[in-house]
Amino acid sequence: MFQLPKYWGDNMNNFYWLNEDQMERLQPYFPKSQGRARVDDRCVLRGIIFINRNGLRWSDAPPEYGAPKTLYNRWKRWSDMGVFARVMEGLAAQAPDNKTISIDATYLKAHRTASSLGLKKGITPCIPGRTSRSKAIKYDKRRYKKRNRIENIFGRLQDWRRIATRYDRCPKVFCSAITLAATVILSL
């Protein structure tokens, strides 16, 4: 049974708590314990989320989440194993609408073959033509109204201090931080 720490005050409002339903959805993606009994995954995951969201050093983790060395070791091990990517992929596959893919314009502008994506992969852009254009371009107005979703997600990712300041030098660990944040933002 989930219990809150003994003291509950204003300083507890900043802590991140996973409820039992959320942890049940995440549990299948974490590795099984082998050998000795280990610290509770839910407690460690809450600590990892708290550290990433607030941009703290691992040694500054509140004791409610466990030992800082345990948090760091589990974060590094799970990042190397690709656990956070599996969690995000698994929860995204359970989403009701996983057929629509949104791509940020900076990715398309940076990629040299972006103009031929529609021809090769059957991707249809949803960009209206200019009003001064003589021949109107057909586009899906319903999807176009949802165009700000990517910018909103980037804005929400910037709220996570560890991502905004890029504390992690290793690309794999930084990618894990982004997938963890996106999972918490979108799926939990």
Side-chain angles (χ1 to χ4, degrees), residues 16-17 29 39 52 55 71-72 75 80 84 97-98 113 124-125 142 155 178-179:
Y16 186 81
W17 303 107
Y29 304 105
V39 179
N52 278 300
L71 296 176
Y72 173 76
W75 165 248
D80 290 341
F84 300 110
D97 178 26
N98 58 1
T113 60
T124 56
R142 182 184 54 82
I178 291 174
T179 56

Side-chain angles (χ1 to χ4, degrees), residues 52-119:
N52 278 300
R53 178 179 273 170
N54 295 311
L56 300 174
R57 296 178 304 173
W58 292 102
S59 61
D60 294 336
E64 289 78 18
Y65 296 126
K69 185 72 174 171
T70 302
L71 296 176
Y72 173 76
N73 286 342
R74 202 78 66 86
W75 165 248
K76 188 76 171 119
R77 192 175 310 127
W78 285 348
S79 295
D80 290 341
M81 292 171 60
V83 170
F84 300 110
R86 280 198 315 256
V87 168
M88 186 173 175
E89 289 172 2
L91 293 178
Q94 296 172 4
D97 178 26
N98 58 1
K99 290 183 173 57
T100 302
I101 298 173
S102 300
I103 302 172
D104 187 35
T106 55
Y107 174 78
L108 292 178
K109 288 177 186 172
H111 202 279
R112 61 186 171 89
T113 60
S115 61
S116 64
L117 281 176
L119 300 174

Side-chain angles (χ1 to χ4, degrees), residues 17-166:
W17 303 107
L18 285 169
N19 63 33
E20 292 181 23
D21 294 335
Q22 292 170 329
M23 196 57 198
E24 276 183 29
R25 292 175 57 204
L26 298 174
Q27 196 64 42
Y29 304 105
F30 289 103
K32 304 283 187 249
S33 178
Q34 297 174 350
R36 289 189 315 158
R38 62 183 190 184
V39 179
D40 182 29
D41 284 343
R42 183 166 79 176
C43 186
V44 171
L45 183 60
R46 290 187 313 213
I48 290 171
I49 291 170
F50 182 80
I51 292 292
N52 278 300
R53 178 179 273 170
N54 295 311
L56 300 174
R57 296 178 304 173
W58 292 102
S59 61
D60 294 336
E64 289 78 18
Y65 296 126
K69 185 72 174 171
T70 302
L71 296 176
Y72 173 76
N73 286 342
R74 202 78 66 86
W75 165 248
K76 188 76 171 119
R77 192 175 310 127
W78 285 348
S79 295
D80 290 341
M81 292 171 60
V83 170
F84 300 110
R86 280 198 315 256
V87 168
M88 186 173 175
E89 289 172 2
L91 293 178
Q94 296 172 4
D97 178 26
N98 58 1
K99 290 183 173 57
T100 302
I101 298 173
S102 300
I103 302 172
D104 187 35
T106 55
Y107 174 78
L108 292 178
K109 288 177 186 172
H111 202 279
R112 61 186 171 89
T113 60
S115 61
S116 64
L117 281 176
L119 300 174
K120 292 180 182 175
K121 306 230 182 210
I123 298 173
T124 56
C126 184
I127 304 168
R130 296 180 185 247
T131 55
S132 61
R133 189 178 175 104
S134 60
K135 183 180 175 188
I137 296 176
K138 294 181 181 180
Y139 67 98
D140 188 354
K141 291 182 181 182
R142 182 184 54 82
R143 283 192 181 156
Y144 184 69
K145 285 185 178 180
K146 297 177 183 179
R147 71 189 181 279
N148 62 346
R149 286 185 173 178
I150 292 178
E151 285 79 14
N152 291 346
I153 294 300
F154 281 130
R156 290 167 120 188
L157 285 174
Q158 291 296 320
D159 291 341
W160 289 59
R161 291 270 320 241
R162 196 168 195 89
I163 294 171
T165 54
R166 182 131 192 212

